[in-house]
Amino acid sequence: MNVVSYGAGVDSTAMILKMLDEGMRIDLVIFADTGDELPETYKTVETMMFFLHQRGIKLVIVFNFSKETLSERCLRRGVFPDTFHRWCTRDFKVRPIHKFYKKYLKGCHINEYLGIDSAETKRIKIAKEDFITKYYPLVDWKMNRLDCEKYILEVGFPHVLKSGCV
């Protein structure tokens, strides 16, 4: 099953658009909501959901804040989201997505497409789970953030901001 992990930012949006232009199959797009995304990010998710629906592709939103949102956890622990240790990405993005895979896509091998641009190759990781194979098309296409911004404009998709939680 070909699944796109969607952050609703420039890179992952450009990746979806180019995958579709290249005729690549997308079975499902998944967005993990931290509960504290920028309003523009939520608007991009809404726009992408409509765009994909027109093409017969479902966008699923998963959550991990049955107990607390990202900001509530930060306030309780007295910490800020940390781009070095990336605990917030792990707890509020990766784990909810993997929980979804295990519950709803049980028994499927997941080809997971991630929107990491060619300037961020240090973020590339091999999946630890035996049922997931990760792919980084933007790296293969040698597209950096600027290339992604240009591509989004070229294909006429509405303006997208760099995503990130509040």
Side-chain angles (χ1 to χ4, degrees):
M1 174 166 279
N2 292 343
V3 180
V4 172
S5 180
Y6 185 51
V10 173
D11 294 347
S12 59
T13 298
M15 181 184 69
I16 288 174
L17 298 172
K18 186 153 177 74
M19 285 177 74
L20 292 172
D21 282 349
E22 295 283 320
M24 296 173 69
R25 191 180 93 227
I26 299 174
D27 299 311
L28 181 70
V29 175
I30 189 165
F31 173 76
D33 186 355
T34 65
D36 291 304
E37 305 295 330
L38 295 167
E40 295 85 357
T41 300
Y42 289 118
K43 178 66 178 162
T44 299
V45 170
E46 184 180 304
T47 302
M48 182 58 77
M49 186 178 286
F50 180 75
F51 176 85
L52 292 170
H53 177 75
Q54 291 178 313
R55 287 149 183 83
I57 301 168
K58 187 172 184 173
L59 188 152
V60 173
I61 300 172
V62 296
F63 305 90
N64 188 39
F65 49 88
S66 56
K67 296 179 184 173
E68 59 193 353
T69 64
L70 175 58
S71 62
E72 290 166 343
R73 180 174 296 175
C74 288
L75 289 170
R76 180 177 57 79
R77 293 168 86 192
V79 297
F80 289 102
D82 182 348
T83 57
F84 181 72
H85 294 101
R86 301 187 61 84
W87 64 266
C88 49
T89 299
R90 179 193 66 226
D91 293 353
F92 286 85
K93 299 276 184 181
V94 176
R95 284 184 179 159
I97 288 172
H98 288 187
K99 185 176 179 181
F100 177 88
Y101 291 164
K102 289 175 184 171
K103 185 172 182 177
Y104 296 105
L105 304 179
K106 190 175 185 166
C108 291
H109 184 82
I110 310 296
N111 296 314
E112 186 177 53
Y113 292 84
L114 296 127
I116 292 179
D117 73 54
S118 63
E120 299 181 298
T121 55
K122 66 184 179 297
R123 291 182 53 209
I124 290 176
K125 292 185 170 69
I126 295 171
K128 295 176 186 173
E129 304 79 5
D130 61 355
F131 65 94
I132 298 173
T133 303
K134 295 184 179 202
Y135 294 93
Y136 303 91
L138 296 174
V139 174
D140 296 339
W141 296 324
K142 296 177 179 42
M143 290 178 70
N144 62 29
R145 171 80 37 110
L146 185 58
D147 296 326
C148 291
E149 289 172 352
K150 287 179 186 177
Y151 189 78
I152 291 168
L153 286 173
E154 284 173 17
V155 299
F157 196 83
H159 179 69
V160 178
L161 294 178
K162 180 184 182 315
S163 66
C165 13
V166 177

